[in-house]
Structure formats: structure tokens, C-alpha cells
Amino acid sequence: MTHHVSRRDVLRSTGAAGLALLGGGLLSACGAPGGSSGGGTRLTMFRWAGAQGEVPKEVGDAFAKKNGVTVRYIEGTNAETFPKLVSSVQVNAHRPLLNLGFFNAQSFAQGAAEGLWAPVDSKLVPNAAKVLPEFRRDDGLGVYTVMDAMGILYNTDVVKSPPKSWLDLFKPEYRSKVTTWDAPAFAVNAVPVINKLKGDGEADLSKGIDVFADAAKKGQFAGLVASIDQLRKQLVSGQVVIAPGFQGVAQPWIDAGDPIGFAVPSEGVMAFPEGFQLVKGSSSEQLKEGAKLMNEILAPDAVSRYSAATATIPLIEGAELPARFRGKPGFQLTAVRESLQLDWGRLAKSVQQATDQWNSDVKAHL
């Protein structure tokens, strides 16, 4: 990345609420300065909630037992945890909230621009070399492990035919039955996708936000969601019948029998890479042990198990897509390669301006 976003800008864009939360003891999760107690290194790892967090915890627990370290976990979403990480670095750059974590592409890019991530040492993380060539990062700041596909989620009891276009989100027949995520979570709320369909790029999301603003004024949205569980409940109940969402998130719900479908829009799915990062400001021992733990998480077998648990596409050579997903179009790498690709670096730079516009033109009308 060639541009710079100040910590103040990132903090404003992600919300200042994290500072207040830190007073409740979250900073203590990283342990004492130096990250060790009684001779053992202590690591704090961020893992996503639900099925996304199961395999990382299994690997982390096994690593801790084998290597004599303590691994603690912060479970949540990027929307919750990334602002808290930024805030912790604001308070003390040498005492970050966590030492390594699993962040989505927007947080990945924002953190890279802000200098939050520590470089990945290839000697300690040899499995990083197994990332498929087209998904490797030249800057070495973290590693992509899997790819999800964002499309349209819908209630199959109400919406009898799968939605065909991203613009179906704004059809009058779904008025007051649509939801999405609040800013600054533009990686997941479909604004950049709609912006692209309107002919603009990630450096300026105005055209996409204008579409959402017009819809908000017409009462298109039931509100905004703040968690995956909330989205699921609203879709199942029929409070919401259509929303942007991820294949990997929806598949476990579909497997459980929920009346939820995942539609691949005619314009293509949005490619959504996910990966692990080490956090700068961690002690040298934390970075060393964190890198070794990252290597275990990137092992093909672990990535295969993660793919099976989360319905995502593995990006590690030797990792296998589960057999039950191999015949589905949305799980093919070709689908992702032909998908709507975002410039995450430019998106990170535009977050503050886009959030301001979103709050005044969209959120104010909900």
C-alpha cells in the first residue's frame, strides 16, 4: 500500500466505543508486558464466533499443550474486535489487545495501512509458502487462508425463486424486509458491490451509498444487523426476507434446516478472502510463538478441516474442499476468479468519508 491512513482516522471510522470497553479489563487479556508469566509465553488470539472459531481453537489448544504456552481467545466479529484492537494500540502501542487473529479483507487492509501487522517470518511460518500464488501478499503482512463468496441470502418460504441480481435488494416487493450491516463494515454490507455496478470504484463509494440512501428514504430496510445470529434470526422469522450475505455463513444454517437460501447473482459473487495476521507491538516471544501457531493453523489438514466447518474455499496447496461442496458452483475457485473483486487498499482509504456519508444519508433515515 502506498497511502497512509492515520490512527485517528481509523479510530474514527471504526468507532470510538472501543476505548471505553478497554477500561473493563480487555487489555489484561494480553498478559503482562513481555507476554510471559512463570516462564511461559501468553498469547491472545482473536477467533470468529460460531463454526468459524472451532478449528482455530482446536489448533490453538493443541499448540498450547505441546509447546508449554498459554493461549487465550477473544471471540467475536471483525466489526466488534477490530475497533477494540485499534483503540488498544492508541492507549499503548506495546500492549495490543491481541497478538494474532483472523481478520477479513477490509480489516486486513486497514490494519496494513495503519501499521498494525507484524511481518510473517517465512522460517517460522513455512506453510505460508503453500498459499496459492494469486492470493499471496507481496508485503508479507499476514496470510490469506480461505475464500468465501458473498451473494444474496433469502427466506425460501417467502422468496420462492432465488434472487437473480444484486439490485433485487432494492425491489419494491421487499420493502421493509431487507437488512444489511452498518458502516464502517463495508466489506460485508454490499455497498462496494452496488457502487461497482453503478460504474465507480472503491476510492469513492458515493454512488453505491446513494442507492442505499434512496432505498432507506423509501422504507426498504427493516433496520441494520450487528451480529450473524441476529441476521439468522431475522431471516428465519421472516422479519427480513433478503439480505447480502456469505455462502460460508449460510451453509451451516441451510444444513440445519433453516428456510434460508444462498443465491449467486448474475453479476457474480463478491470474492472475500480471509486470513491470519500477527499484531505489531507484541513481545518478541509472543511474535515467535504466534508465528509458530500461525504455521499450525495454515497446515493443509487444519485448513481442510476449517473449510469443512465453515463452508469456505481453501487457498492453501494440499488443503481439500469437502466432497459435499465440490459440485456446487459457488464453491469453485473459478467462480471466485470470475467474481467481483474489490481493491481492499482503496476501500480502506475511503472508509472514513464513506462512513460519514452513510451516517448522514442512510442511517439517519432508518
Side-chain angles (χ1 to χ4, degrees), residues 145 298-305 307 314-321:
T145 58
L298 296 178
D301 175 68
V303 176
S304 295
R305 290 189 288 119
S307 173
L315 300 179
I316 301 292
E317 293 175 356
E320 296 184 354
L321 182 72

Side-chain angles (χ1 to χ4, degrees), residues 10-325:
V10 173
L11 181 59
R12 288 178 59 211
S13 73
T14 50
L19 280 170
L21 292 171
L22 292 174
L26 282 171
L27 275 174
S28 64
C30 289
S36 62
S37 176
T41 301
R42 295 189 291 183
L43 296 174
T44 298
M45 182 168 76
F46 166 52
R47 64 188 182 102
W48 292 5
Q52 288 91 341
E54 293 172 2
V55 173
K57 185 177 187 302
E58 291 171 6
V59 175
D61 288 348
F63 177 85
K65 184 176 181 180
K66 178 181 177 181
N67 292 276
V69 303
T70 299
V71 180
R72 302 179 182 180
Y73 304 93
I74 294 176
E75 180 180 285
T77 65
N78 273 239
E80 297 169 319
T81 308
F82 185 75
K84 297 175 187 176
L85 173 59
V86 173
S87 297
S88 72
V89 174
Q90 287 274 337
V91 174
N92 188 337
H94 300 289
R95 198 172 177 127
L97 173 66
L98 50 100
N99 309 118
L100 75 162
F102 197 35
F103 288 94
N104 67 33
Q106 180 180 331
S107 296
F108 204 139
Q110 285 183 250
E114 184 55 20
L116 291 179
W117 313 134
V120 175
D121 186 339
S122 60
K123 294 181 181 179
L124 295 176
V125 193
N127 282 327
K130 297 178 182 178
V131 176
L132 299 178
E134 63 198 277
F135 299 107
R136 295 175 186 169
R137 290 183 59 93
D138 294 335
D139 59 14
L141 298 176
V143 179
Y144 286 133
T145 58
V146 296
M147 181 78 73
D148 204 346
M150 189 169 84
I152 299 176
L153 306 184
Y154 62 100
N155 181 303
T156 55
D157 288 341
V158 178
V159 182
K160 298 301 183 181
S161 297
K164 294 180 172 59
S165 169
W166 285 102
L167 298 178
D168 286 2
L169 293 166
F170 309 102
K171 280 187 172 181
E173 62 199 81
Y174 303 133
R175 186 161 294 158
S176 79
K177 296 289 186 178
V178 183
T179 192
T180 193
W181 295 76
D182 196 3
F186 294 106
V188 297
N189 69 8
V191 167
V193 172
I194 301 302
N195 197 63
K196 270 186 174 293
L197 298 182
K198 293 300 178 180
D200 218 337
E202 291 76 22
D204 184 353
L205 300 180
S206 297
K207 291 182 179 178
I209 294 175
D210 285 345
V211 174
F212 278 81
D214 183 61
K217 293 172 185 176
K218 294 177 179 177
Q220 189 74 1
F221 302 107
L224 301 172
V225 290
S227 71
I228 291 173
D229 286 341
Q230 185 182 17
L231 176 60
R232 180 182 187 179
K233 290 175 182 177
Q234 291 187 10
L235 281 166
V236 170
S237 69
Q239 178 183 350
V240 164
V241 301
I242 185 172
F246 291 91
Q247 182 172 238
V249 170
Q251 191 61 50
W253 304 344
I254 295 170
D255 293 342
D258 289 357
I260 294 174
F262 175 81
V264 176
S266 59
E267 302 93 344
V269 297
M270 187 195 83
F272 192 72
E274 306 166 1
F276 269 84
Q277 293 78 33
L278 297 170
V279 180
K280 187 184 293 186
S282 303
S283 72
S284 59
E285 281 301 310
Q286 287 173 326
L287 289 174
K288 177 182 176 181
E289 296 300 327
K292 290 162 60 178
L293 173 52
M294 174 184 280
N295 192 59
E296 296 293 321
I297 289 169
L298 296 178
D301 175 68
V303 176
S304 295
R305 290 189 288 119
Y306 184 85
S307 173
T310 62
T312 51
I313 302 168
L315 300 179
I316 301 292
E317 293 175 356
E320 296 184 354
L321 182 72
R324 66 191 183 101
F325 299 146

